[in-house]
Amino acid sequence: MLVLGIESSCDETAAAIVNDKKEILGQALLSQEEHKAFGGVVPEIAARAHLEHIDEIISTCVKRAGISLNDLDAIAAASGPGLIGGVVVGVMAAKALALALNKPFVAVNHLEGHALCARISNDVEYPYLLLLVSGGHCQILIVKNVGEYERLGTTIDDAAGEAFDKVAKMLGLGYPGGPLIEKRAAVGDEKRFSLPRPLLASADCNLSFSGLKTAVRKLIESYSPDGDIEHADIPSQDVADICACFQYTATDCLVRKLKRAIGIFKSKYPEGKNLVVSGGVAANAYLRGKLKELADENGLIFAAPPIRFCTDNGVMIAWAGLERFRAGYQNELDFKPRPRWPLDENAPKAAGAGGVKA
Ligand code: KG4
Ligand code: ZN
């Protein structure tokens, strides 16, 4: 079984072809550089850039795979959630191919792409406990099966990646902030500043990063003669220390809430073996290390996609599309892309909510 997957929901235009032996036959990815000057993704610029590059990305991917389009069994596209102008570009390309080739179209929830991605390179069986941490989302979920999710907790304000990006912006480090903070943090003292851990005492699995971000802002303001962070003059070692303290605190919040989630997961699914992390922030080696320790302490096996498949890519959409198609789900060509699309609403049998049984 061969599936083409297309990703265009944020600032990566990407395509990949995978088969049911978990082989990646070909892929192509373009990370849009246009947004760097703005310190964040500009939706209109993103949509236009996707439109400009999507055809070339798809044809490069097909060429690299060494197949003919007719060999495909299905065409999948990330169909939400995301920046709708970009999502529409990928979905229209996929639908056009599906129509022209007379092949099934599979609408993939971008979050499901992240959620299932670790299954390509790791031996991860359902059910598993998942920490999904990206630029737009931060959730703790039980992945029961394809399209079957139970959300145990979510952020009540910022996503984890968003917090990394905002702190990096405040420090003038650039965009995307996650990798830049991680690099500086590696030479910083993570115990130098004590930062708040919002919601830690609450008896649920919810998270919050907005108070942490505000505390970092106050810290940066203290380096400015007039209290304006634009004028803050922070010695290089202090930047590293702030990055390390932020990364330490954000990770600690995730680990502590996951500890609670592991208790729930184990009592509901004693057969479950894996703790999985995915999404852009899962590329963070410090976080991966702490989660591995947590999994080891709790008798679970830690798994994560290879670093290059943590941030948005075509492989995760192709794979989620393949898993959905293999399970018997596909979508009509009038499927409407969804700017908002909670993963735990992804019931496969609900028409319009991600697929109908073929
Ligand atoms: O999954 P993704 O590519 O896009 C969304 O679906 O949002 O995630 C992008 C996010 C950005 O916020 C970026 O700063 C963060 O992932 N990120 C990281 C690292 N690499 C990317 N955060 C922390 N450490 C990293 N190494
Ligand atoms: Zn993503």
Side-chain angles (χ1 to χ4, degrees):
M1 181 182 287
L2 271 187
V3 175
L4 166 69
I6 298 171
E7 161 61 36
S8 61
S9 47
C10 193
D11 55 346
E12 263 88 27
T13 317
I17 295 171
V18 300
N19 68 17
D20 49 352
K21 290 186 204 115
K22 300 187 171 187
E23 289 164 342
I24 300 161
L25 279 80
Q27 56 172 318
L29 182 144
L30 180 85
S31 275
Q32 300 172 359
E33 298 286 323
E34 291 91 328
H35 309 286
K36 286 217 157 95
F38 301 95
V41 180
V42 184
E44 189 57 36
I45 295 177
R48 271 190 252 164
H50 285 305
L51 195 56
E52 206 173 305
H53 299 291
I54 194 100
D55 291 349
E56 180 196 330
I57 287 287
I58 294 170
S59 58
T60 303
C61 166
V62 172
K63 230 176 269 163
R64 286 180 182 161
I67 61 146
S68 135
L69 283 171
N70 269 315
D71 299 333
L72 293 169
D73 292 288
I75 324 278
S79 307
L83 303 174
I84 197 66
V87 173
V88 166
V89 171
V91 169
M92 291 309 288
K95 285 180 177 177
L97 278 172
L99 186 66
L101 298 164
N102 197 22
K103 307 276 182 185
F105 164 68
V106 184
V108 170
N109 183 316
H110 175 87
L111 301 175
E112 184 159 43
H114 282 305
L116 304 186
C117 189
R119 282 171 46 81
I120 311 174
S121 43
N122 300 273
D123 198 13
V124 173
E125 301 283 331
Y126 300 118
Y128 55 91
L129 184 63
L130 171 72
L131 172 66
L132 201 166
V133 269
S134 69
H137 295 86
C138 180
Q139 300 178 354
I140 300 173
L141 300 139
I142 297 173
V143 182
K144 294 191 260 186
N145 210 329
V146 190
E148 288 179 40
Y149 299 88
E150 182 179 339
R151 194 167 68 184
L152 300 183
T154 183
T155 178
I156 59 161
D157 40 57
D158 292 348
E162 193 181 351
F164 272 88
D165 292 338
K166 285 179 177 167
V167 167
K169 194 172 179 183
M170 288 191 277
L171 288 167
L173 296 180
Y175 178 85
L180 300 165
I181 294 218
E182 182 177 11
K183 197 168 164 220
R184 294 297 195 103
V187 291
D189 172 7
E190 64 183 27
K191 297 282 167 57
R192 178 161 166 205
F193 306 107
S194 168
L195 296 169
R197 282 154 231 219
L199 286 196
L200 220 56
S202 70
D204 54 28
C205 298
N206 288 336
L207 292 140
S208 161
F209 292 102
S210 144
L212 172 57
K213 182 190 65 190
T214 306
V216 173
R217 170 180 283 275
K218 289 208 174 109
L219 187 54
I220 297 172
E221 282 170 355
S222 73
Y223 285 86
S224 167
D226 59 1
D228 181 346
I229 57 168
E230 297 286 326
H231 304 141
D233 182 17
I234 317 175
S236 175
Q237 186 55 50
D238 290 38
V239 170
D241 293 345
I242 293 171
C243 288
C245 292
F246 165 74
Q247 183 176 263
Y248 165 82
T249 310
T251 301
D252 193 46
C253 292
L254 292 168
V255 166
R256 285 174 191 242
K257 284 299 171 117
L258 264 174
K259 216 177 257 181
R260 203 184 288 272
I262 286 174
I264 300 170
F265 176 61
K266 284 191 145 186
S267 68
K268 283 190 164 183
Y269 300 95
E271 76 278 21
K273 291 191 188 70
N274 287 101
L275 170 64
V276 174
V277 65
S278 72
V281 185
N284 187 291
Y286 180 86
L287 173 66
R288 289 165 89 105
K290 295 287 178 196
L291 295 179
K292 163 105 178 55
E293 276 171 27
L294 178 70
D296 289 349
E297 282 162 16
N298 288 279
L300 292 174
I301 301 163
F302 174 71
I307 302 233
R308 67 184 185 287
F309 295 146
C310 288
T311 45
D312 294 348
N313 62 84
V315 173
M316 68 187 209
I317 303 303
W319 177 253
L322 187 145
E323 286 223 41
R324 289 189 76 75
F325 185 62
R326 189 169 60 184
Y329 303 111
Q330 65 181 72
N331 296 80
E332 300 298 332
L333 290 182
D334 64 356
F335 178 89
K336 287 187 186 55
R338 298 187 57 180
R340 286 175 186 280
W341 190 356
L343 193 47
D344 48 345
E345 227 187 70
N346 202 25
K349 288 178 193 86
V356 285
K357 206 112 186 158

